[in-house]
Amino acid sequence: MQPYQEEYISNLKDISMLTVRKAPAGLSFEKYFQELLQERRQVEQKIKRNMELLRQELFPILDHIHEADPKILEELQEFAGELLYGSGRKELDVGLFCQIHKALLTLARLTKDRNGMIRELYWLGMGYNNLCNKLIGLDRSKTWKYTYQMRLCFTEAAAYLKYYDEIEDADTRGYILRSRANMSLGWFQTPSDKIHMVKRSLQVLQDKEYQEKEPNLPWERYILMTHQQMAASISYSRESTMTFEDVIDIMESVYIVHEKQFQEAAAKNEPPLLRPQFSYYAIKYYCGLNTLDDLLTNMELLMDQVEPDDFSLDGMYATISIPAFYCQYLNDYPERIPKRAKYIEGLYQRILDYIDVFPKDSQNEALFLYLRQLSFTFLETKKSISYKEFLQKLQIRFAPDLYVHSWIVGKGAAALCEKIIEEDPGFFDDIIMIRQITNPEEKREKILTYAMECGLFHDVGKMNFVNLYTQMGRQWFEEEYEMAHLHTLIGESCLSARVSTQPYSPIAHGHHAWYDGSHGYPESYHRLECQYRQMTDVIGLIDWLHDMVSTQRLYMGFEKSFAEAIQGALDLEGKRFSPLLTARLREKEIADQIELALTEGVKEAYQQVYQQT
């Protein structure tokens, strides 16, 4: 790679290490806090340097990609590979990975390089697949665009199968076949659509003519991985949507994967993996050989087998992902919850204990995929940990910078609300749970607590994009801004589905909408139809103010004082922000109280991170 590429990757790794909150290791809080401030300054410097490297070195090459010599192109390929699969196969910068491969695809089209087009379509599809994995918890209509982008790449590359005989390059033939198999990744309208796609891929991969023409390709591995895709189709199947033929197709793949894993385990004198065993038990249920209670009992046996310090992919799957499926079954059949409520309570504690001791590496994509699955299917019982507590612990453990921002927004919102209700005690009476409180002091406490907690959970949807928000070593690309907007929908979806977090879901949904409706997002938020609009306005304002004085400096390269941020909010009065709120910002006492709350909130938040790290 070029020196600038090596430096960029080194900076990304440093940013990752600096943004993972390490254990205090005997440091006093003051010393710990000072180290955090110093690390933040280092992150700012590295982000600034990375932007210089991109603007001075990489972007000019991408803009004139048709003039680049073969050695430069080869180095770009290597650089992109490190961005997605470098550092122990941990994602570093999937956005830049996609930008590079889009440029290389454009070049291949211009030069009519068929092998290059196939290769770049495959890798661009893999980049889009990585992005799709971050969208768990969203309505399929909101994620279809990203699934379509991914599948379009794989479909175009797979279409070259008809030229298989003409293509002599073994790697290119491999890309075609892998793209054919990867066409089944992502969401489909029905389980049958996906199953039929995988079945067709298996037919291609098992075709002896293709194998004989390129005997050096890892055919056995291709076929096994495709059977694994078929076996995974169970995860989003339901009795009412699977046909008898679908069950037979999945059952065959499950059996093949199951037997293969058992044979490999026996050869190594190791216990068999738990993941294929789950698929085996699940398909027996879908076939009618076992009841749902049999399946749930077998899942409990699998979850009980995993060691508390097994941080392998199989260990993570058994500890976090199988519980996600377990909760989904119980959500679908709630009459079975009472019998298993006690098990659920212990299960959540086991998961929290596991993530408490998990190695400090918040870039493990498999771990985050499984945690997103569990967050989406999380089941509250009367005695289990609440979803609210669960999310708070996840934020502190895996996204401490997001947690700090959210805590600060909550503090600032509570400070503003306190001044508002001093002047107008009925300001928040559109909210039914507030209006029903008749005792003035009780009402005041409820409003302030609610404001604090709304701040704490308004950005919880960002957990799906934690790398984008906390470990990105550059400014965002336009498509990343667009994807980041989805955090409002993810937050609303997850929070609204549980009793403990339902009151915060409208705030998560609408805190980026403009007061006059002219801009902002998402389109599905309609201010005048929302009883929580006044609190949503408050959180939106404080969130913006803190971004202006803190986050924007880190990732956008400009800095504003608090006074400048206040003036910026006043300039948007009646447009982005409610005039009922901005009018109060003109009062110096209120502005000072908000600024003080934001300042105090920083230390308070990091104190919690310090205590729980």
Side-chain angles (χ1 to χ4, degrees):
M1 289 188 293
Q2 288 285 316
Y4 82 88
Q5 296 168 345
E6 293 176 346
E7 183 182 355
Y8 185 88
I9 288 171
S10 176
N11 287 340
L12 285 180
K13 292 177 180 179
D14 288 344
I15 290 169
S16 174
M17 293 301 296
L18 290 168
T19 53
V20 174
R21 295 293 160 244
K22 308 173 191 68
L27 295 177
S28 66
F29 172 69
E30 286 300 325
K31 179 66 174 175
Y32 176 77
F33 184 63
Q34 289 305 313
E35 286 195 1
L36 291 182
L37 296 181
Q38 182 179 354
E39 289 172 354
R40 183 180 177 87
R41 287 191 289 271
Q42 292 178 45
V43 168
E44 291 176 1
Q45 293 167 0
K46 290 181 181 296
I47 290 174
K48 182 178 180 180
R49 176 56 181 162
N50 269 5
M51 285 308 304
E52 291 174 355
L53 292 173
L54 294 179
R55 288 172 177 147
Q56 295 172 9
E57 303 283 353
L58 179 63
F59 291 161
I61 293 174
L62 298 185
D63 288 341
H64 300 86
I65 193 73
H66 59 286
E67 299 174 3
D69 63 48
K71 186 173 187 302
I72 292 293
L73 298 177
E74 183 180 339
E75 289 168 340
L76 282 177
Q77 292 274 3
E78 183 184 358
F79 179 42
E82 286 295 310
L83 292 172
L84 186 62
Y85 292 124
S87 187
R89 296 189 69 80
K90 299 162 191 168
E91 171 193 327
L92 290 177
D93 191 340
V94 66
L96 190 57
F97 171 92
C98 290
Q99 293 293 322
I100 292 171
H101 282 291
K102 281 195 285 188
L104 292 171
L105 176 59
T106 298
L107 176 63
R109 292 193 192 282
L110 286 172
T111 58
K112 302 188 185 305
D113 176 6
R114 182 166 62 183
N115 289 357
M117 283 190 286
I118 294 168
R119 180 187 63 245
E120 296 310 322
L121 285 165
Y122 171 81
W123 284 116
L124 187 55
M126 292 300 292
Y128 286 140
N129 179 57
N130 180 285
L131 298 179
C132 289
N133 286 336
K134 302 179 189 305
L135 302 178
I136 292 173
L138 275 177
D139 182 89
R140 304 303 187 187
S141 65
K142 305 299 182 184
T143 63
W144 177 248
K145 170 186 174 181
Y146 301 95
T147 305
Y148 179 77
Q149 283 179 320
M150 172 191 70
R151 196 164 294 142
L152 195 62
C153 291
F154 289 135
T155 301
E156 184 180 347
Y160 285 94
L161 189 65
K162 62 184 177 182
Y163 300 112
Y164 191 83
D165 290 345
E166 299 178 13
I167 296 171
E168 297 180 356
D169 181 70
D171 287 341
T172 303
R173 285 178 165 178
Y175 284 128
I176 294 171
L177 294 164
R178 290 153 74 185
S179 294
R180 170 67 240 189
N182 286 354
M183 286 168 62
S184 58
L185 293 175
W187 174 76
F188 284 77
Q189 291 288 344
T190 69
S192 291
D193 291 340
K194 181 183 179 77
I195 291 165
H196 293 165
M197 182 70 75
V198 181
K199 186 176 181 179
R200 176 58 186 145
S201 295
L202 280 170
Q203 290 171 347
V204 170
L205 294 171
Q206 291 170 333
D207 190 312
K208 295 300 182 183
E209 287 192 23
Y210 290 121
Q211 294 181 13
E212 290 169 359
K213 289 172 182 174
E214 196 55 65
N216 293 325
L217 288 177
W219 292 99
E220 187 174 326
R221 179 170 173 268
Y222 288 170
I223 293 169
L224 179 62
M225 291 180 68
T226 308
H227 277 302
Q228 289 172 340
Q229 280 192 42
M230 180 70 87
S233 299
I234 292 173
S235 65
Y236 72 104
S237 300
R238 296 290 181 271
E239 288 175 294
S240 59
T241 58
M242 288 181 65
T243 67
F244 180 73
E245 290 77 13
D246 293 338
V247 173
I248 292 174
D249 290 332
I250 295 177
M251 181 169 60
E252 180 182 359
S253 289
V254 167
Y255 179 79
I256 290 171
V257 173
H258 187 262
E259 289 303 301
K260 180 69 173 177
Q261 295 286 359
F262 266 79
Q263 290 170 9
E264 291 180 353
K268 297 177 182 177
N269 197 27
E270 295 176 351
L273 296 176
L274 300 177
R275 181 171 187 159
Q277 293 184 67
F278 164 59
S279 296
Y280 182 73
Y281 291 137
I283 198 62
K284 289 180 72 175
Y285 160 63
Y286 283 111
C287 288
L289 298 175
N290 283 344
T291 66
L292 177 58
D293 284 322
D294 292 333
L295 172 59
L296 293 172
T297 298
N298 285 326
M299 292 174 75
E300 291 170 1
L301 293 173
L302 292 178
M303 292 183 285
D304 291 344
Q305 284 183 43
V306 67
E307 296 295 331
D309 59 351
D310 183 355
F311 305 124
S312 67
L313 285 174
D314 196 52
M316 283 188 278
Y317 184 87
T319 304
I320 302 173
S321 191
I322 294 180
F325 295 130
Y326 182 81
C327 291
Q328 183 62 60
Y329 286 121
L330 291 174
N331 276 313
D332 289 344
Y333 300 94
E335 68 276 5
R336 286 171 167 78
I337 294 174
K339 178 181 176 182
R340 300 180 185 273
K342 188 172 182 180
Y343 186 84
I344 295 170
E345 295 158 16
L347 181 62
Y348 288 149
Q349 188 56 54
R350 187 190 310 171
I351 293 169
L352 290 174
D353 291 342
Y354 180 81
I355 61 179
D356 274 345
V357 297
F358 196 89
K360 303 288 186 183
D361 185 353
S362 60
Q363 281 197 333
N364 192 313
E365 279 301 295
L367 177 66
F368 273 107
L369 174 61
Y370 298 152
L371 285 173
R372 289 193 288 270
Q373 290 175 339
L374 182 58
S375 292
F376 183 53
T377 66
F378 190 97
L379 174 65
E380 288 185 325
T381 67
K382 290 182 179 179
K383 294 184 180 179
S384 74
I385 183 173
S386 70
Y387 191 53
K388 180 166 77 171
E389 295 172 280
F390 182 75
L391 288 180
Q392 188 168 354
K393 288 179 179 292
L394 285 189
Q395 286 190 81
I396 292 176
R397 173 62 178 83
F398 292 107
D401 288 337
L402 290 180
Y403 181 79
V404 169
H405 165 71
S406 298
W407 181 272
I408 293 168
V409 170
K411 288 287 291 185
L416 177 56
C417 288
E418 186 164 24
K419 292 299 181 181
I420 290 173
I421 58 180
E422 283 179 6
E423 301 172 6
D424 183 0
F427 188 83
F428 295 103
D429 279 358
D430 282 344
I431 304 173
I432 295 174
M433 66 178 180
I434 300 295
R435 186 169 67 245
Q436 290 174 339
I437 302 173
T438 56
N439 182 287
E441 183 56 29
E442 182 184 347
K443 186 173 186 176
R444 173 184 174 277
E445 287 299 320
K446 178 67 175 179
I447 291 170
L448 298 185
T449 300
Y450 181 55
M452 183 69 216
E453 292 180 342
C454 284
L456 204 54
F457 296 105
H458 78 286
D459 266 346
V460 74
K462 289 181 179 178
M463 283 287 288
N464 279 45
F465 313 106
V466 66
N467 291 357
L468 191 63
Y469 280 97
T470 64
Q471 295 167 345
M472 184 60 65
R474 55 169 171 76
Q475 295 175 17
W476 291 353
F477 298 120
E478 186 62 34
E479 60 189 25
E480 289 170 330
Y481 277 105
E482 184 179 303
M483 176 169 276
H485 289 178
L486 297 175
H487 82 271
T488 57
L489 299 177
I490 293 173
E492 191 275 336
S493 175
C494 290
L495 295 173
S496 64
R498 282 93 188 174
V499 173
S500 67
T501 54
Q502 192 284 324
Y504 317 120
S505 63
I507 284 76
H509 188 207
H511 67 278
H512 282 290
W514 281 39
Y515 175 78
D516 66 0
S518 62
H519 296 81
Y521 57 90
E523 293 181 358
S524 53
Y525 176 76
H526 304 290
R527 184 181 180 279
L528 294 180
E529 297 174 10
C530 179
Q531 63 168 294
Y532 301 88
R533 60 185 174 275
Q534 304 283 30
M535 187 60 75
T536 304
D537 292 344
V538 169
I539 296 297
L541 172 60
I542 302 300
D543 178 65
W544 186 86
L545 288 173
H546 185 245
D547 273 347
M548 289 299 105
V549 300
S550 178
T551 311
Q552 295 295 334
R553 181 179 77 249
L554 192 59
Y555 289 102
M556 297 304 293
F558 64 81
E559 183 175 358
K560 287 184 181 292
S561 67
F562 187 75
E564 289 172 329
I566 290 288
Q567 185 56 53
L570 293 176
D571 291 342
L572 292 169
E573 185 174 62
K575 300 173 186 175
R576 180 164 189 163
F577 303 117
S578 166
L580 298 176
L581 302 181
T582 50
R584 290 177 166 88
L585 295 182
R586 291 187 172 86
E587 299 178 34
K588 187 176 186 306
E589 179 187 358
I590 294 180
D592 288 347
Q593 284 296 315
I594 295 172
E595 183 177 17
L596 178 62
L598 298 184
T599 303
E600 292 178 343
V602 176
K603 274 202 167 184
E604 290 179 6
Y606 278 120
Q607 181 81 51
Q608 294 179 65
V609 175
Y610 171 81
Q611 292 170 349
Q612 298 189 43
T613 301

